[in-house]
Amino acid sequence: RKEVEQDPGPFNVPEGATVAFNCTYSNSASQSFFWYRQDCRKEPKLLMSVYSSGNEDGRFTAQLNRASQYISLLIRDSKLSDSATYLCVVIGMTYNQGGKLIFGQGTELSVKP
Amino acid sequence: DADVTQTPRNRITKTGKRIMLECSQTKGHDRMYWYRQDPGLGLRLIYYSFDVKDINKGEISDGYSVSRQAQAKFSLSLESAIPNQTALYFCATSDSRAGETQYFGPGTRLLVL
């Protein structure tokens, strides 16, 4: 089983749609969680961190369910510019965890006019 | 100017050749990382360094070596390139004093024939 697994995608949605991405992680001791965005042929960039209480940034809402080891990202009112691959990221738990990110394989989103 | 730069951006080489990928950063971060990205597999950690002269193996270090001679530079070497090392390589940095966000370079596309 992969340490971090995401919806396989791709997701093709019309502008204005609401879309949700799901991610599960295998290590129950993991402490830090993130969503990164990667545009085609570009580097990943941090979209938002994910907190236990959930957090929202404009049209984006991230949720964490520790009991189910599940992370979600909700995008409301999708824009064409939201088209990208969304990467679920978990901080790996080994010695001195120090920023060792473990990436899911990514879920591609394509927003159409 | 970009904070994290990688050279070369694209490289074609032949099996058995030694090549080096360079990463430089102007962010003043102490931690640096090398990842490779393959379709359907997400990003996987090759090596990471928490400070000058500190080197740690990641998930897939076989066939690679790294050097961290200065805080701002982290180089990745393929001693004898093989075709399954064809991938997109990313360098990343983070600041141990400022959380776990990693900042990625633009990537190097490597093709091993």
Side-chain angles (χ1 to χ4, degrees):
Chain A
R1 180 185 173 188
K2 292 181 180 178
E3 291 188 71
V4 179
E5 294 200 63
Q6 298 185 234
D7 289 335
F11 284 49
N12 296 300
V13 303
E15 272 189 289
T18 294
V19 60
F21 302 135
N22 301 313
C23 172
T24 58
Y25 59 96
S26 61
N27 190 330
S28 60
S30 298
Q31 296 295 321
S32 300
F33 311 90
F34 307 89
W35 284 101
Y36 275 68
R37 170 190 169 134
Q38 185 175 23
D39 292 297
C40 186
R41 305 174 80 86
K42 297 285 184 68
E43 70 273 23
K45 294 183 179 179
L46 179 68
L47 178 65
M48 58 197 306
S49 302
V50 187
Y51 305 119
S52 296
S53 56
N55 48 303
E56 185 173 315
D57 183 3
R59 298 181 293 109
F60 298 82
T61 301
Q63 296 280 352
L64 168 64
N65 183 323
R66 287 190 183 275
S68 300
Q69 295 177 209
Y70 168 92
I71 306 158
S72 66
L73 176 68
L74 183 75
I75 305 176
R76 292 179 298 278
D77 188 22
S78 299
K79 310 292 184 190
L80 297 176
S81 58
D82 294 334
S83 296
T85 296
Y86 291 83
L87 305 171
C88 175
V89 183
V90 173
I91 296 291
M93 298 301 290
T94 59
Y95 85 93
N96 181 14
Q97 299 315 309
K100 285 179 61 180
L101 276 60
I102 299 175
F103 287 79
Q105 76 275 27
T107 301
E108 183 181 347
L109 171 65
S110 179
V111 181
K112 305 294 188 184
Chain B
D1 289 340
D3 295 320
V4 185
T5 57
Q6 292 183 231
T7 55
R9 293 294 312 279
N10 295 279
R11 178 74 183 269
I12 300 174
T13 191
K14 294 182 179 180
T15 297
K17 294 291 187 181
R18 181 181 188 276
I19 66 165
M20 180 180 291
L21 309 183
E22 303 275 8
C23 177
S24 294
Q25 52 118 345
T26 58
K27 299 181 78 66
H29 289 174
D30 52 341
R31 295 179 171 176
M32 297 186 74
Y33 311 80
W34 275 105
Y35 295 88
R36 66 176 279 176
Q37 186 173 36
D38 300 275
L41 293 179
L43 280 86
R44 292 180 292 167
L45 183 64
I46 306 172
Y47 272 97
Y48 61 103
S49 168
F50 285 170
D51 204 345
V52 176
K53 301 296 179 69
D54 175 68
I55 301 295
N56 304 283
K57 291 184 177 181
E59 183 184 350
I60 51 163
S61 58
D62 288 349
Y64 301 94
S65 62
V66 291
S67 175
R68 182 96 184 269
Q69 297 296 327
Q71 188 182 55
K73 297 184 183 297
F74 193 34
S75 58
L76 176 72
S77 293
L78 286 68
E79 297 301 325
S80 179
I82 56 176
N84 75 2
Q85 290 178 313
T86 292
L88 179 57
Y89 290 84
F90 286 106
C91 173
T93 73
S94 69
D95 184 345
S96 61
R97 302 162 299 175
E100 295 149 330
T101 301
Q102 293 193 7
Y103 298 86
F104 286 80
T108 295
R109 292 194 173 275
L110 175 65
L111 173 61
V112 183
L113 300 174

